Amino acid sequence: MKGSALLLMMTLCLAWPTALWADEHDCSLETLRGAFGFTFTGTAKTATGASQRGGIGRYVIDGEGNIAGAITSNADGVVLRRPLIGTYIVEADCTGSIAVDFLDAIGGHATFDMVIDDDGKEIRTISTPPPGAVNPATLTAVLRKQFSRR
């Protein structure tokens, strides 16, 4: 009896951590809905060397693949306030991508890969400029849901 009880105990102990690691959550477009505030930081290549970038922003995400928002950025002391619209894609494994278009006179387009954390309350991103992009920025951001009641 002692041997079988020990074997059962060992089996449960070995299986238990696996059960804790099992992913029981699937993500979709609906995982992200509401207002998210964020900070970003990074660098870009310029003709004179590395340029420091940083800023804050807000996205309103509709749960159907659409984003509206604005950012305030600081690039080596030059401050820009830029409205934007965009789209996002979410995979079942809670990864995805974001594409935004800036609506100011400067214009432009930016893309990011993302991972969703904390049951959709947080998003982490990294910029994904296309190959050969001029002055590609390496930017990382952490977005946090502003209001948990929505």
Side-chain angles (χ1 to χ4, degrees), residues 65-150:
N66 302 297
I67 296 171
I71 65 165
T72 299
S73 67
N74 184 320
D76 297 325
V78 177
V79 176
L80 295 173
R81 292 172 181 85
R82 308 184 75 192
L84 59 86
I85 59 170
T87 59
Y88 67 98
I89 297 168
V90 174
E91 303 295 336
D93 68 354
C94 300
T95 63
S97 61
I98 296 171
V100 298
D101 292 306
F102 296 99
L103 302 176
D104 58 2
I106 300 169
H109 182 77
T111 57
F112 307 87
D113 280 356
M114 71 172 167
V115 63
I116 301 168
D117 289 330
D118 198 12
D119 290 322
K121 294 182 192 113
E122 186 170 275
I123 307 166
R124 297 172 186 271
T125 68
I126 187 163
S127 56
T128 55
V134 178
N135 302 330
T138 302
L139 302 173
T140 59
V142 177
L143 296 78
R144 188 81 183 147
K145 195 161 193 177
Q146 288 184 297
F147 308 103
S148 60
R149 64 185 176 275
R150 294 183 198 181

Side-chain angles (χ1 to χ4, degrees), residues 9-22:
M9 215 169 172
M10 286 176 48
T11 303
L12 289 174
C13 286
L14 291 173
W16 185 55
T18 305
L20 289 178
W21 296 329

Side-chain angles (χ1 to χ4, degrees), residues 23-83:
D23 186 6
E24 297 177 15
H25 297 90
D26 284 341
C27 286
S28 67
L29 291 175
E30 293 85 17
T31 303
L32 300 178
R33 180 183 301 274
F36 289 77
F38 62 91
T39 58
F40 63 92
T41 186
T43 59
K45 296 178 186 176
T46 68
T48 59
S51 171
Q52 298 298 312
R53 307 293 166 104
I56 59 168
R58 182 173 185 260
Y59 285 162
V60 177
I61 302 175
D62 71 357
E64 298 177 5
N66 302 297
I67 296 171
I71 65 165
T72 299
S73 67
N74 184 320
D76 297 325
V78 177
V79 176
L80 295 173
R81 292 172 181 85
R82 308 184 75 192

